[in-house]
Amino acid sequence: MNTFWLLLMYILVVRGELLDQAAVGELYTFKIEPNIFDWSHQVINEQFRYTPSLKSYPDLPSWMRYMYSNEYHAGFLYGTPPEQLLGKSITLDIVALNKKNYETRNTELTIKVARKIHAPNIIQMKIDNLNWVHLMDPGRIENLRNIYRKDLWPESESDLSLVFMESAVNMGGRLPLRPQQHEGVVVHLGSFAKFSERLKDLQEEVRPLYKLPSCTYKRTSVQKLFENSGFKLDWCAFRIVGTDMSPEVLHHNHDGNKLSVGTNSLEMSTLKRREGGRWQGMHRDEMPSRNYIDEFAFAFAIPTVIFGILCGILTASLCFKHEKFYKGSSYPTTSSTVQMVQYSDTNSQPVTTLKSLKDPNCLLDNTSLRSQRWLNLAEHANVSILIFLDILVYTRMLNLGKIDQWSY
């Protein structure tokens, strides 16, 4: 079966066009090299650049991705064709640029999608010590498949195939701190065979690690089996999913009728526009609208409420503070006295007491004192006036000679 598919995956150059074949549910890869455009040698590093796209469209189909490898100085097309392309052909337009003399050449790649049913049983894993480009090597893929076909999953020897491959960074992972380290790659292998008991035991062994985001430091019972073949797995990302296992969302599932429950209406309409891998444009009336009135009201309401609360707190605190001040400064009903402090001898001068103004009887006492003082002043004034009048009478009589100056 595998020999048959390998014979079908050939490339023919006919009238400047490239012909290739892919299968539904199986990873398709294509390497873009200078010899495709009749460029035989490369003078400088990264001399050639390639821009593939769907013919008469500006971008690639939704299921296909293109990446350039500086390590291999070549471009790679890869992806898993969906069931909508069964029995159809798609044509890609590849434009090449020679950066030395800025010469451009182009060619067309026609891919015919053959029939193949999706494999129901999938093994999901993440390899930390490799990049995505390393799995473009057929020998390394064969070594990975042999680990399962000969040891962990012998029942899948006849139809085990690579159904999905993507860089861990493109799947949401982080770039390594050191540029020398590898990014990691996510790989899915599929088959129609039932999972072996050894795979189920391995699933239960790593199940407690699912709550961790990454656990490259963890080791399992089959660790040596993968390390001897040059693979270092992240066991937190290892899962087996199939008909007899709990269902999970697979990243290679492109069927619109198998969307997850959390998919919103916008994503549903977006996927429905992709027919045969081509993007169907949206109409003007189908564009999603956004109401900014609620957002502006919400943006102004919160600061206004906060400002009102702060103003209320400030007003209340000031009112309570003044009320407390007035209450604290009110006159008490009990009389109090303040003793005058003197530095003189107490025997020579009597000690007087000053009545507090808070004493209600103080006003009466102060009035009496002021009245007595005015009476004393009036008496002294009357005496002075009488003495002055007496002097005037005496002077007048003395001038008239009616009295002697010593007889008065």
Side-chain angles (χ1 to χ4, degrees), residues 381-395:
N382 293 333
V383 172
S384 300
I385 292 172
L386 292 175
I387 294 174
F388 178 72
L389 293 174
D390 193 10
I391 293 173
L392 289 177
V393 172
Y394 171 74
T395 305

Side-chain angles (χ1 to χ4, degrees), residues 106-154:
N106 70 306
T107 186
E108 293 183 358
L109 172 63
T110 302
I111 304 174
K112 182 176 178 57
V113 182
R115 176 181 294 273
K116 185 180 179 181
I117 304 175
H118 280 288
N121 298 324
I122 305 295
I123 299 178
Q124 304 176 359
M125 53 188 162
K126 178 186 175 186
I127 305 175
D128 288 330
N129 63 331
L130 296 178
N131 289 335
W132 62 271
V133 71
H134 297 147
L135 288 184
M136 297 297 176
D137 183 9
R140 186 174 276 109
I141 296 178
E142 192 67 18
N143 293 335
L144 181 62
R145 293 169 60 189
N146 288 335
I147 295 176
Y148 292 95
R149 290 187 297 187
K150 295 181 179 180
D151 293 290
L152 300 178
W153 200 6

Side-chain angles (χ1 to χ4, degrees), residues 331-397:
Y331 298 116
T333 57
T334 60
S335 62
S336 61
T337 59
V338 179
Q339 185 175 358
M340 181 182 291
V341 179
Q342 298 180 352
Y343 293 95
S344 61
D345 189 6
T346 57
N347 296 326
S348 59
Q349 295 181 359
V351 177
T352 61
T353 57
L354 298 178
K355 291 187 177 182
S356 175
L357 296 176
K358 300 178 182 179
D359 190 358
N361 298 324
C362 178
L363 297 175
L364 298 176
D365 295 340
N366 291 338
T367 305
S368 301
L369 290 175
R370 285 195 295 270
S371 301
Q372 185 66 30
R373 188 180 297 111
W374 282 109
L375 291 174
N376 293 333
L377 291 175
E379 291 179 358
H380 289 292
N382 293 333
V383 172
S384 300
I385 292 172
L386 292 175
I387 294 174
F388 178 72
L389 293 174
D390 193 10
I391 293 173
L392 289 177
V393 172
Y394 171 74
T395 305
R396 181 62 179 171
M397 293 178 67

Side-chain angles (χ1 to χ4, degrees), residues 34-177:
N35 56 7
I36 297 178
F37 304 92
D38 296 332
W39 285 328
S40 57
H41 63 282
Q42 181 171 335
V43 179
I44 60 176
N45 293 332
E46 303 178 9
Q47 179 179 350
F48 303 106
R49 279 291 180 267
Y50 313 102
T51 307
S53 63
L54 192 63
K55 188 176 181 180
S56 302
Y57 288 87
D59 203 356
L60 290 171
S62 59
W63 57 271
M64 182 176 289
R65 181 182 292 272
Y66 167 78
M67 296 186 69
Y68 183 85
S69 172
N70 295 324
E71 182 178 354
Y72 290 89
H73 304 292
F76 292 90
L77 291 169
Y78 62 94
T80 304
E83 292 183 357
Q84 291 85 349
L85 295 179
L86 182 61
K88 300 180 181 179
S89 299
I90 61 172
T91 302
L92 302 180
D93 189 11
I94 305 175
V95 179
L97 171 65
N98 188 344
K99 298 177 65 177
K100 182 180 179 181
N101 53 14
Y102 292 96
E103 179 186 0
T104 59
R105 299 182 182 181
N106 70 306
T107 186
E108 293 183 358
L109 172 63
T110 302
I111 304 174
K112 182 176 178 57
V113 182
R115 176 181 294 273
K116 185 180 179 181
I117 304 175
H118 280 288
N121 298 324
I122 305 295
I123 299 178
Q124 304 176 359
M125 53 188 162
K126 178 186 175 186
I127 305 175
D128 288 330
N129 63 331
L130 296 178
N131 289 335
W132 62 271
V133 71
H134 297 147
L135 288 184
M136 297 297 176
D137 183 9
R140 186 174 276 109
I141 296 178
E142 192 67 18
N143 293 335
L144 181 62
R145 293 169 60 189
N146 288 335
I147 295 176
Y148 292 95
R149 290 187 297 187
K150 295 181 179 180
D151 293 290
L152 300 178
W153 200 6
E155 296 83 356
S156 65
E157 184 177 1
S158 59
D159 62 345
L160 184 63
S161 60
L162 184 65
V163 298
F164 179 79
M165 186 273 298
E166 185 58 278
S167 172
V169 176
N170 295 334
M171 297 294 293
R174 294 185 176 181
L175 288 171
L177 297 178

Side-chain angles (χ1 to χ4, degrees), residues 173-322:
R174 294 185 176 181
L175 288 171
L177 297 178
R178 298 179 181 178
Q180 297 80 8
Q181 295 179 346
H182 297 290
E183 299 176 357
V185 58
V186 177
V187 181
H188 294 173
L189 296 177
S191 174
F192 287 89
K194 293 185 178 181
F195 291 119
S196 62
E197 293 298 328
R198 193 172 182 185
L199 273 180
K200 294 180 180 179
D201 294 340
L202 181 60
Q203 169 91 345
E204 296 300 323
E205 181 181 354
V206 301
R207 189 181 295 275
L209 304 177
Y210 289 167
K211 59 183 179 181
L212 301 176
S214 177
C215 47
T216 55
Y217 54 90
K218 294 291 183 179
R219 301 181 65 86
T220 60
S221 58
V222 296
Q223 187 77 22
K224 287 294 183 180
L225 192 62
F226 287 90
E227 289 183 352
N228 292 337
S229 299
F231 301 103
K232 185 178 180 181
L233 270 64
D234 184 359
W235 294 108
C236 290
F238 181 86
R239 287 172 175 79
I240 58 175
V241 182
T243 55
D244 55 345
M245 304 295 295
S246 59
E248 296 186 17
V249 178
L250 302 181
H251 298 289
H252 65 272
N253 189 357
H254 298 279
D255 297 339
N257 56 355
K258 297 180 181 180
L259 297 175
S260 59
V261 178
T263 306
N264 55 31
S265 59
L266 181 59
E267 294 175 349
M268 290 279 291
S269 61
T270 301
L271 292 177
K272 289 180 180 178
R273 299 180 198 282
R274 293 173 178 171
E275 299 178 358
R278 299 185 179 184
W279 172 258
Q280 303 296 329
M282 300 177 64
H283 296 286
R284 183 182 181 88
D285 54 353
E286 294 179 352
M287 294 295 294
S289 60
R290 186 176 180 181
N291 188 8
Y292 291 94
I293 297 178
D294 298 337
E295 297 185 8
F296 277 111
F298 188 74
F300 283 104
I302 293 180
T304 303
V305 172
I306 296 176
F307 179 75
I309 294 174
L310 294 178
C311 289
I313 294 174
L314 181 61
T315 304
S317 61
L318 292 176
C319 293
F320 289 140
K321 183 177 180 181
H322 285 287

